[in-house]
Amino acid sequence: MRYRMPLLRLEAIQLTSDQIIIRHSLDARPFITTIHYHDVQLDTLKKRYGARLIDAIAFHIAFFEGMKYCSLAPHIYDITPWTCAEETIALFKLLYQEIFAQHRWENGLAHYPGPTIVPDSAPSARMPHPIETHEPSLLVSCGGGKDSLAVMKLLERIGEPYAVTQYAHSCYGPTQPQHALIDEMVRCCSVARQHRFSLHDTFLHQPHVLEQFPGPVTTFCAPETPCSIFATLPILLNYGYTFLCLGHEQGADSENFFWEEEQRFVNHQWGKSLEAEHVLNRYIQRHLLSNLHVFSILKPIYDFLIFQLLRDEQQHIRTTHSCNITKPWCKRCPKCIYVWLSTLAYLRVNLFNENLFDQQEVQDIFFQLMGKSGHRPFECVGEVDETRLALYACLQQGYQGKILDIFRQEILPYIDIGALLSRYNTVFSEKHAIPPRLAEPVLLQFAAVRVNEQEFLKR
């Protein structure tokens, strides 16, 4: 590799009453990440829990925020004068290898192991602290998409009180409109409390950054899910939540493709996988908050059953948004197209009030989603067979368009729709980390929305 790998440093971590300000540098060029908590006073938390715990949490937030700079393949990540345990470094390396596999593939960085962390490790000082529990004890991480809506309505159906936390990030544009979009959806739900935090970042998706570091890298990557979990810890502490409920479904555990050069699978959504959930849960309980349980309540099911959960929420589905390019929807990216298709197929709602099946500019994306070309897009979208099942449902309902004609002629004759339906209509009752007191009523709700497969196929 002829690219001169930069030096990454963690320069400063500053806590104000309501902000954590983190300064990193790449070859002495400064970059700042600011996390603003809208309703948490960090100095008050220090008085309640002690400076040692709050400073440790702030360090973890800063340390893992540093992973985004691995987009530029630094050779060293110098965290002096801080030190961290061997287990912390091991977690960093695991998250980098899994979450950044796509980034390495895209940028010709095969076998780059991530930076050497200096100092390499310090003796483990495991002193996790329990959260002082209050009611409600469950906090939902709400991103504003259909999964978040499904999570909140599911909790309401089983009579479980909950609060929500949401965050906005400058890489998606101004933060206030992002919060406003999520607020609109939250108003449709019975929420005990609503918390917000906002992140401002001077690195991600800034064109001048790649100009400053010319080389093979053309894209950015960040461990958004793990970083958001660490950033949520002050809210959990402040309000006494011992359960952090996520909305990641079974499809997030599926790989995009096998990378021959590294002899490994690449999964764009690994940070939302059950494996990642277990790893982060175990680490946080051992090192930071002993009685915190992080879990995804939708993990036992695929998108097919999530949309069945939402059949009675059609009046609220238009308050959701999922696009990572233009909020609320760009209407042309893989994620927008996948959500539009599935909502049309299962809820009979045309989110964008247009027929994307006849839009030439999105044909190639449809081909990737349905497995006609390339690999499943690098986005939080369902498996190829999930797209095929949704296209079949659209055909059943009489929708028309060029993409449906191609699917009917070139793919449908060669697949077993009954087998696909059986797979995605299944509740995987063992593949989750849902707390025992919630698992039984949740699984019963999932079972109740399963479709009659014979009737579905005969429509």
Side-chain angles (χ1 to χ4, degrees):
M1 184 185 297
R2 296 182 179 179
Y3 171 57
R4 192 185 73 78
M5 304 167 82
L7 170 65
L8 170 63
R9 291 184 188 275
L10 174 56
E11 301 279 3
I13 307 171
Q14 178 187 356
L15 274 67
T16 68
S17 60
D18 59 358
Q19 292 184 334
I20 300 177
I21 304 167
I22 306 159
R23 186 160 62 90
H24 286 86
S25 68
L26 281 163
D27 283 350
R29 293 180 176 88
F31 297 96
I32 296 174
T33 302
T34 303
I35 303 173
H36 170 225
Y37 295 96
H38 295 216
D39 59 355
V40 172
Q41 295 296 307
L42 297 169
D43 45 2
T44 302
L45 275 184
K46 282 191 174 186
K47 293 175 182 177
R48 287 174 55 193
Y49 287 95
R52 181 174 181 176
L53 176 63
I54 305 308
D55 288 344
I57 289 173
F59 168 77
H60 279 79
I61 293 170
F63 180 59
F64 287 98
E65 279 290 335
M67 193 180 296
K68 63 194 171 195
Y69 303 105
C70 294
S71 296
L72 296 177
H75 65 106
I76 288 174
Y77 184 7
D78 187 351
I79 63 170
T80 310
W82 294 273
T83 60
C84 59
E86 181 179 343
E87 297 97 316
T88 311
I89 293 175
L91 177 62
F92 186 97
K93 291 181 176 179
L94 173 65
L95 295 180
Y96 174 77
Q97 283 300 311
E98 297 297 338
I99 294 173
F100 277 67
Q102 169 192 335
H103 180 267
R104 295 195 303 277
W105 178 82
E106 289 175 323
N107 292 282
L109 297 172
H111 306 298
Y112 167 61
T116 299
I117 297 173
V118 178
D120 56 358
S121 67
S124 177
R126 288 187 192 172
M127 294 186 67
H129 198 291
I131 299 171
E132 299 169 1
T133 308
H134 299 284
E135 293 297 332
S137 61
L138 191 148
L139 181 66
V140 172
S141 180
C142 177
K146 51 89 179 171
D147 293 334
S148 296
L149 179 61
V151 168
M152 292 188 286
K153 292 303 181 181
L154 174 62
L155 290 169
E156 290 168 18
R157 290 178 195 176
I158 66 171
E160 179 68 25
Y162 67 94
V164 299
T165 181
Q166 63 195 60
Y167 70 92
H169 199 297
S170 61
C171 72
Y172 300 127
T175 57
Q176 195 283 326
Q178 294 177 53
H179 283 300
L181 283 171
I182 299 175
D183 291 346
E184 183 181 1
M185 190 186 75
V186 171
R187 282 194 291 270
C188 301
C189 303
S190 300
V191 176
R193 292 193 206 99
Q194 185 177 4
H195 309 289
R196 301 173 182 84
F197 63 98
S198 304
L199 293 93
H200 186 267
D201 182 302
T202 63
F203 174 76
L204 286 175
H205 305 297
Q206 300 295 325
H208 69 274
V209 172
L210 294 178
E211 296 170 4
Q212 292 174 353
F213 297 90
V217 175
T218 59
T219 62
F220 294 98
C221 185
E224 185 170 1
T225 298
C227 282
S228 68
I229 290 173
F230 282 114
T232 303
L233 298 185
I235 296 173
L236 293 157
L237 270 177
N238 194 65
Y239 291 93
Y241 304 116
T242 52
F243 297 96
L244 178 58
C245 179
L246 311 176
H248 306 152
E249 39 79 37
Q250 183 68 214
D253 292 59
S254 304
E255 300 88 2
N256 292 75
F257 65 92
F258 186 79
W259 184 9
E260 292 287 349
E261 195 167 0
E262 279 204 6
Q263 285 294 293
R264 57 160 298 133
F265 286 101
V266 174
N267 178 7
H268 171 81
Q269 298 188 79
W270 187 88
K272 298 180 177 181
S273 69
L274 184 59
E275 180 183 1
E277 201 172 297
H278 284 317
V279 167
L280 289 164
N281 222 349
R282 184 166 55 246
Y283 179 86
I284 292 171
Q285 289 173 358
R286 290 179 178 179
H287 292 269
L288 294 170
L289 302 177
S290 59
N291 58 341
L292 175 62
H293 190 127
V294 181
F295 69 100
S296 174
I297 203 166
L298 300 180
K299 188 54 73 174
I301 59 175
Y302 283 93
D303 272 337
F304 177 78
L305 285 182
I306 292 174
F307 279 99
Q308 306 310 314
L309 274 174
L310 292 171
R311 281 181 303 198
D312 294 332
E313 309 300 337
Q314 290 166 315
Q315 72 274 29
H316 298 141
I317 197 67
R318 290 186 184 276
T319 67
T320 66
H321 69 284
S322 293
C323 187
N324 292 326
I325 296 175
T326 302
K327 304 291 184 182
W329 307 100
C330 75
K331 305 179 184 180
R332 295 297 181 267
C333 73
K335 195 169 186 181
C336 284
I337 293 168
Y338 175 77
V339 175
W340 175 85
L341 168 66
S342 300
T343 305
L344 187 69
Y346 304 127
L347 303 184
R348 302 191 181 190
V349 173
N350 187 332
L351 276 179
F352 308 150
N353 298 318
E354 62 177 307
N355 185 359
L356 293 183
F357 296 134
D358 282 328
Q359 289 289 345
Q360 182 67 30
E361 62 187 301
V362 300
Q363 178 176 285
D364 288 343
I365 294 175
F366 266 116
F367 285 174
Q368 293 172 33
L369 287 168
M370 71 171 77
K372 180 175 166 58
S373 67
H375 56 76
R376 183 169 56 143
F378 287 137
E379 256 296 359
C380 296
V381 296
E383 297 176 348
V384 165
D385 283 337
E386 290 183 84
T387 296
R388 292 172 172 177
L389 186 59
L391 288 168
Y392 175 79
C394 286
L395 281 175
Q396 283 181 305
Q397 295 169 56
Y399 294 112
Q400 297 180 350
K402 182 178 180 181
I403 290 297
L404 290 174
D405 292 339
I406 293 171
F407 171 73
R408 180 194 294 111
Q409 296 162 12
E410 300 184 22
I411 294 179
L412 185 56
Y414 306 101
I415 60 177
D416 185 342
I417 283 292
L420 300 191
L421 176 59
S422 179
R423 171 185 171 89
Y424 297 121
N425 197 35
T426 296
V427 178
F428 296 86
S429 58
E430 304 299 322
K431 295 183 178 181
H432 64 82
I434 302 173
R437 72 177 182 84
L438 295 177
E440 182 177 355
V442 165
L443 294 173
L444 286 173
Q445 288 291 322
F446 292 159
V449 299
R450 293 179 68 243
V451 303
N452 181 304
E453 295 179 13
Q454 290 185 338
E455 291 182 3
F456 184 94
L457 294 172
K458 289 178 180 179
R459 288 179 187 172

